[in-house]
Amino acid sequence: MKHTLHLLGLLLTLGSSSAMGATIGGRVFEDVNYGGGSGAPYATTGGFAGIGGARVEIYRGNTFVTFVTTGSDGFWSYNYGTAANNNLTVRVVSSSLVSSRGTTTGLLPVVTFRRTFGNTPTSSANDLNYVGGQNPGLADAGNNTGAFNTITPVAQNQTNLPDADGNGANAENYTGIDFGFNFDVVVNTNDSGQGSLRQFVLNANALPNTGLDQRQFDNNGTPAGTNFPAGQETSIFMLADGTAKPGLRVGLANLLTDASGVAATTNSRALITLATALPALSADDTALDGTTQTTLNSSNPLLLGTGGTVGVDRVTLAQVPGPEVELSLPDGSTGITLSANNLIVRGLAIHGGSTSLQATAGTNLLVEDNALGITAFSVAAPATRPTGTIIVSLRNPSGIVRRNILAYSGSSNLNYSGSGSGYTITRNEFVHAGRTTAGGDNISVGDQGTAGPLTITENLIRDSNSSGIQFEIGAIGNNLVNNNTISGNGKGGTNSRLEGSGIHYLLRADGRTSTNTDVISRNIINANQSSAIVINYGQRNVQVTQNSIYGNGDGTTGGQGLIAIDFTPPSYRVGGNAAYGQGDGVTPNDGIPDLSKANGGMNYPIITRKNVTTVGANTILHVEGFVGRQSNQTQFGGSVVEFFRGDNTTDTNQNGEIFVGDGQTFPHGEPRDFIGSLTTGADGSFNQDITFPTANLSPALQTSDPINSTAFKAGYGTSESGINLIPNTIPPGALPVTLTSFRAACAAGGVLVSWQTATELNNAGFEVQRSLDGTQFRPIAFVAGTGTSSSGRSYSLTTDATAPSTAYYRLHQLDTDGTASFSPVEVVVCEAPATSRLVLTPNPARQAVEVLGGIGTVQLLDLTGRVLRQQAVEAGSLNLQGLAPGMYVVRSGNATARLLVE
């Protein structure tokens, strides 16, 4: 093995390099996979590599003797002559080290290990608590040829041989004088230089991760903390608090301070105040991870944020652990720039800069468990260096933002305008965006460029100056907003504001349109200043489903719109009507879908009749009505109608017309408690029961409760929220004819059909229709109306005696202008004439019944006319097994009989 020997003190009486002298030597190595905690001696496996070309300086007492340079394997040696009782010091110069992971010079590592010695070569010990060296708060000096005590600022990496004897037979050969180093350790809060966060970024950018597999934190021999994935380079924070910790010795300077800036070991964190922005993090698979300091020294026991639950499904939202490392960024800067793949920012408090954190390139960014825009101690605007504009700016294609607090930005807390596969934003708390700027949203999407799809789920999004979430029409992908709580937006931040809704689809002056398919589902959207959801002209395909919406538009000064889902006309845009982000209130039904309008001009449902009953553990909501301006509008056929217990008491400002020009002022309310859904028939009407467990709603649903509904059709979107029906009918005058009752019952010689109206407007008359199967209806009679009347009218008609024993009846009401509507359907089951009566035995029955007098086929029906059993008469007894107890109808030919099943 060859070693380079430089003898600058040849004339000193050190003795010759003859056999009479003694040798000292050791190895300088890189502990490539050091992951925090106790240092480690060199090993042949596990990522240890000798460092060639390192400068090793040798001193006797205070006097510089010489330096040697390590060989390619990291070994060095020196013959120190025959003089007796030498007090030698060995120093390694950090700036001379080049990582085994590359050839870049000028990078600075941190010492993680040294060997110490007593008075004899055999009195050596591994010093595992030497991470950071003599004084981790200072940077190691460069090359030195002067006195040891003049090294400035510090000789960081040194060990002493206190009584080395090179004389004659007592010559002492010291071997194993080893030093270990690592390029990922942060040991001080300095702005730059050895052991700083900035130096870690420089090192990580320059060194490849090939073969890298950082070990878990070594807690005096026991692994702890994060098990780092192979190929990822993680910042290893080892910031001393002055007490003994794995890897750190007692007596080092305390680098931790409390909220008032006083050194402390508890309720404290390490504050790194940067003079300039950090270099862009440009190396793939790199992690800025403050939780490595938590593994060392959990000094901040605080839990930050609201916690609790979010969304309709009450998903648990964990508080964020108080970070142990806080970064204060310089004003006006983009403090941290991320421009590579698979980067991680974890467990840090970060505030300041114009933009605190910006991703400009790279995929699969992970930002998690951070306190962003605030200090490590409280969810409040920092007294110094608050974030000027945007806390997190995402311009890269994809990633995840989860379990963070983002709060008190000057403008937006999070801005995403990156084209690609998109982001998942989950389990964060967004608070008080727009601290200084009107229009500051908690989440802004697409306003700086085209944005990929977003999944925004299980977040608390509250108290912004402007909107909770703002989507830029014409610049967004397909988004899912699910199970969030979106509350109090439009009430925080600076006193002036531009918008104030929970969710806003924003139209710019250029009149762009969007047909992206968005789903807004199972969110709690409440107490926002203006409308819960504002959809400006030009945006369609937004499905709003199964949310709990209430208390929005609560009268806060400046609030407008004030309803659940608010469609706005073309003038409501940036540069147009100033309330573009707050809404214009109720858009009444006009019966005319228009794809250029907000959500295609989708009309809301009109409930003409409802009833609530309880059967066992279930509640049955019966609803009748239609979507549009009137029934029989096929353009609304196949619409999905959702029903809710409406909220019309938290605030009372959702009044408006029902149909365009009707002059009504009727509460539309907000859809608060989801009950169930149905699909309209081809004519856009509905007449169904919705059955659900009574326990699903608390308190239980009552007939007197207001019922609210929305309608969704693919290609258009979800309607505004329909009127609250309280308790059974819509108000007089809302429909051309207000039908108060409709009944059909068996009578002598046929079926008596009767109905009553409260008011009539241009009523031409009623066509009575009958169906044999409940689907195909045919007219059987016409009764003229009274034209226009403000008082009630009664009508009746008896059908011919040849009517089938089971039939379905409805009214088809016709106006003089050609418009029409349908009544609810009545089901009638009449006994056959006595001459053709069936005989059932036994009756009541349990297992089977014998049918006497039947011809051909025997059918068993329920009271709605559904056929439950059918067989030939000659087949014998009719099987009743599996039927619920109750009344049924047996039919054969034109004869029927009632059967009680026990």
Side-chain angles (χ1 to χ4, degrees):
M1 176 177 13
K2 292 185 178 180
H3 305 285
T4 303
L5 178 63
H6 298 269
L7 298 178
L8 302 182
L10 291 177
L11 300 179
L12 297 176
T13 57
L14 292 176
S16 67
S17 58
S18 67
M20 293 295 294
T23 301
I24 59 174
R27 174 168 18 208
V28 177
F29 66 90
E30 182 180 1
D31 185 354
V32 175
N33 292 331
Y34 174 74
S38 300
Y42 180 87
T44 57
T45 60
F48 297 86
I51 298 177
R55 178 183 172 106
V56 181
E57 296 178 351
I58 301 166
Y59 299 81
R60 177 197 288 141
N62 194 41
T63 304
F64 174 77
V65 176
T66 190
F67 73 90
V68 296
T69 304
T70 60
S72 60
D73 56 2
F75 278 105
W76 64 274
S77 67
Y78 173 65
N79 186 303
Y80 66 94
T82 59
N85 300 322
N86 293 286
N87 185 11
L88 302 180
T89 299
V90 177
R91 176 200 174 213
V92 177
V93 180
S94 301
S95 59
S96 68
L97 305 183
V98 177
S99 173
S100 63
R101 295 160 52 198
T103 60
T104 303
T105 59
L107 305 179
L108 296 173
V110 168
V111 66
T112 58
F113 171 84
R114 70 172 177 175
R115 183 78 56 80
T116 60
F117 293 84
N119 292 334
T120 65
T122 58
S123 60
S124 65
N126 291 332
D127 188 353
L128 308 183
N129 297 317
Y130 195 60
V131 175
Q134 294 295 117
N135 186 344
L138 299 176
D140 188 29
N143 298 345
N144 182 60
T145 57
F148 186 80
N149 63 4
T150 64
I151 298 176
T152 302
V154 69
Q156 198 70 274
N157 323 304
Q158 57 177 278
T159 194
N160 295 320
L161 310 177
D163 192 18
D165 188 349
N167 187 24
N170 297 320
E172 295 172 320
N173 296 312
Y174 285 81
T175 60
I177 307 173
D178 291 359
F179 292 86
F181 292 85
N182 180 269
F183 285 82
D184 295 325
V185 187
V186 179
V187 293
N188 59 53
T189 59
N190 299 339
D191 173 73
S192 61
Q194 184 183 32
S196 69
L197 177 61
R198 187 183 303 274
Q199 189 62 55
F200 165 77
V201 174
L202 293 171
N203 294 347
N205 285 344
L207 299 175
N209 294 2
T210 306
L212 185 64
D213 190 4
Q214 292 167 298
R215 300 186 299 274
Q216 280 183 271
F217 181 95
D218 186 345
N219 185 13
N220 296 319
T222 302
T226 303
N227 187 7
F228 306 105
Q232 175 183 293
E233 185 164 14
T234 301
S235 59
I236 307 300
F237 285 95
M238 290 286 293
L239 298 162
D241 70 351
T243 66
K245 293 290 189 296
L248 300 174
R249 61 195 182 279
V250 68
L252 294 174
N254 185 1
L255 301 178
L256 311 185
T257 55
D258 62 18
S260 61
V262 176
T265 57
T266 60
N267 298 313
S268 58
R269 77 341 190 175
L271 175 62
I272 301 175
T273 301
L274 296 172
T276 59
L278 289 174
L281 192 57
S282 58
D284 292 351
D285 304 296
T286 304
L288 297 178
D289 191 345
T291 66
T292 56
Q293 177 69 15
T294 306
T295 307
L296 169 72
N297 181 11
S298 185
S299 65
N300 188 358
L302 295 176
L303 293 174
L304 302 176
T306 303
T309 62
V310 293
V312 169
D313 292 331
R314 303 292 180 185
V315 178
T316 298
L317 179 68
Q319 293 175 288
V320 174
E324 314 288 333
V325 179
E326 179 179 329
L327 308 184
S328 176
L329 307 175
D331 293 337
S333 70
T334 298
I336 301 174
T337 299
L338 309 167
S339 59
N341 299 314
N342 308 316
L343 300 183
I344 298 174
V345 179
R346 176 189 294 130
L348 299 166
I350 304 173
H351 60 86
S354 176
T355 299
S356 296
L357 190 71
Q358 177 169 283
T360 59
T363 59
N364 301 322
L365 172 64
L366 176 60
V367 180
E368 65 178 5
D369 302 319
N370 301 285
L372 301 173
I374 58 176
T375 71
F377 299 115
S378 66
V379 183
T384 59
R385 289 186 165 184
T387 301
T389 305
I390 299 172
I391 293 174
V392 175
S393 174
L394 304 173
R395 301 289 183 272
N396 65 316
S398 63
I400 298 172
V401 178
R402 66 187 179 196
R403 301 192 304 266
N404 306 279
I405 294 176
L406 296 92
Y408 292 94
S409 62
S411 180
S412 294
N413 280 335
L414 185 147
N415 185 293
Y416 174 53
S417 297
S419 179
S421 59
Y423 264 83
T424 295
I425 301 172
T426 182
R427 301 205 176 188
N428 306 280
E429 181 172 354
F430 294 87
V431 188
H432 278 281
R435 177 179 47 81
T436 59
T437 303
D441 310 306
N442 270 319
I443 301 175
S444 301
V445 184
D447 65 339
Q448 303 295 315
T450 302
L454 282 180
T455 296
I456 304 173
T457 181
E458 300 173 2
N459 303 280
L460 175 57
I461 304 171
R462 65 178 181 92
D463 300 324
S464 70
N465 165 267
S466 186
S467 301
I469 305 171
Q470 179 179 287
F471 293 108
E472 184 88 5
I473 294 176
I476 51 178
N478 299 328
N479 304 294
L480 172 64
V481 182
N482 173 257
N483 252 320
N484 304 278
T485 293
I486 305 171
S487 179
N489 296 287
K491 301 178 184 179
T494 187
N495 289 330
S496 62
R497 67 195 74 253
L498 298 178
E499 301 106 22
S501 54
I503 301 173
H504 178 207
Y505 287 83
L506 173 71
L507 177 64
R508 294 280 172 190
D510 58 8
R512 289 180 290 179
T513 62
S514 282
T515 59
N516 53 290
T517 302
D518 281 12
V519 177
I520 300 172
S521 62
R522 302 191 68 77
N523 303 282
I524 295 174
I525 309 176
N526 74 304
N528 297 286
Q529 185 209 35
S530 296
S531 297
I533 301 171
V534 175
I535 304 177
N536 288 158
Y537 193 88
Q539 174 68 53
R540 58 185 170 95
N541 287 341
V542 179
Q543 182 178 10
V544 182
T545 175
Q546 299 186 28
N547 300 280
S548 179
I549 302 176
Y550 60 95
N552 298 283
D554 62 358
T556 302
T557 301
Q560 299 188 50
L562 314 180
I563 61 175
I565 305 169
D566 200 335
F567 300 163
T568 62
S571 60
Y572 278 65
R573 54 175 174 77
V574 176
N577 192 299
Y580 63 88
Q582 298 168 310
D584 68 337
V586 173
T587 301
N589 282 358
D590 60 6
I592 306 172
D594 182 346
L595 292 179
S596 65
K597 294 180 179 179
N599 265 6
M602 186 65 186
N603 282 205
Y604 47 69
I606 300 297
I607 305 172
T608 58
R609 185 178 177 188
K610 75 175 178 70
N611 189 55
V612 176
T613 57
T614 301
V615 180
N618 291 328
T619 295
I620 301 172
L621 171 65
H622 177 76
V623 284
E624 303 171 12
F626 57 87
V627 176
R629 187 175 176 86
Q630 61 196 35
S631 61
N632 202 30
Q633 288 195 272
T634 57
Q635 58 266 45
F636 299 117
S639 299
V640 177
V641 179
E642 294 186 353
F643 296 90
F644 302 78
R645 175 160 54 196
D647 175 46
N648 202 38
T649 57
T650 300
D651 49 81
T652 58
N653 48 30
Q654 297 96 2
N655 292 1
E657 292 184 330
I658 299 174
F659 303 106
V660 171
D662 67 11
Q664 296 289 321
T665 301
F666 194 73
H668 286 59
E670 295 179 281
R672 181 165 185 168
D673 301 317
F674 178 69
I675 295 171
S677 63
L678 56 80
T679 301
T680 65
D683 63 353
S685 66
F686 52 88
N687 182 349
Q688 292 186 32
D689 290 343
I690 297 175
T691 302
F692 62 95
T694 300
N696 280 8
L697 291 184
S698 181
L701 186 67
Q702 305 295 322
T703 297
S704 59
D705 287 342
I707 298 297
N708 190 264
S709 58
T710 61
F712 167 78
K713 188 166 185 178
Y716 294 87
T718 297
S719 69
E720 288 190 357
S721 182
I723 62 172
N724 268 357
L725 190 65
I726 313 170
N728 282 314
T729 60
I730 62 176
L735 289 171
V737 174
T738 303
L739 192 69
T740 58
S741 70
F742 172 63
R743 295 288 181 268
C746 298
V751 174
L752 176 63
V753 182
S754 60
W755 62 98
Q756 291 181 321
T757 63
T759 60
E760 298 182 21
L761 178 65
N762 300 322
N763 179 22
F766 303 90
E767 187 178 73
V768 180
Q769 297 183 344
R770 181 172 64 198
S771 171
L772 303 183
D773 58 6
T775 302
Q776 300 294 323
F777 284 86
R778 292 183 173 84
I780 59 174
F782 181 82
V783 178
T786 57
T788 298
S789 173
S790 60
S791 60
R793 291 288 186 271
S794 297
Y795 301 86
S796 65
L797 173 73
T798 300
T799 67
D800 60 77
T802 60
S805 57
T806 300
Y808 306 82
Y809 292 85
R810 73 180 182 186
L811 295 177
H812 184 203
Q813 187 270 322
L814 301 171
D815 285 355
T816 56
D817 63 1
T819 59
S821 63
F822 289 94
S823 74
V825 174
E826 286 284 304
V827 182
V828 178
V829 180
C830 297
E831 296 282 357
T835 56
S836 58
R837 184 178 300 276
L838 296 177
V839 177
L840 308 178
T841 181
N843 189 3
R846 292 184 180 179
Q847 300 297 320
V849 64
E850 185 176 356
V851 182
L852 304 177
I855 300 174
T857 300
V858 175
Q859 294 177 320
L860 180 72
L861 300 86
D862 64 15
L863 295 185
T864 68
R866 289 187 302 159
V867 177
L868 305 179
R869 301 278 196 278
Q870 180 171 306
Q871 67 181 48
V873 169
E874 56 268 23
S877 297
L878 187 63
N879 182 12
L880 305 178
Q881 293 183 6
L883 294 175
M887 186 65 69
Y888 295 85
V889 175
V890 176
R891 179 168 66 186
S892 181
N894 289 329
T896 62
R898 292 182 180 269
L899 170 67
L900 179 62
V901 175
E902 295 180 328

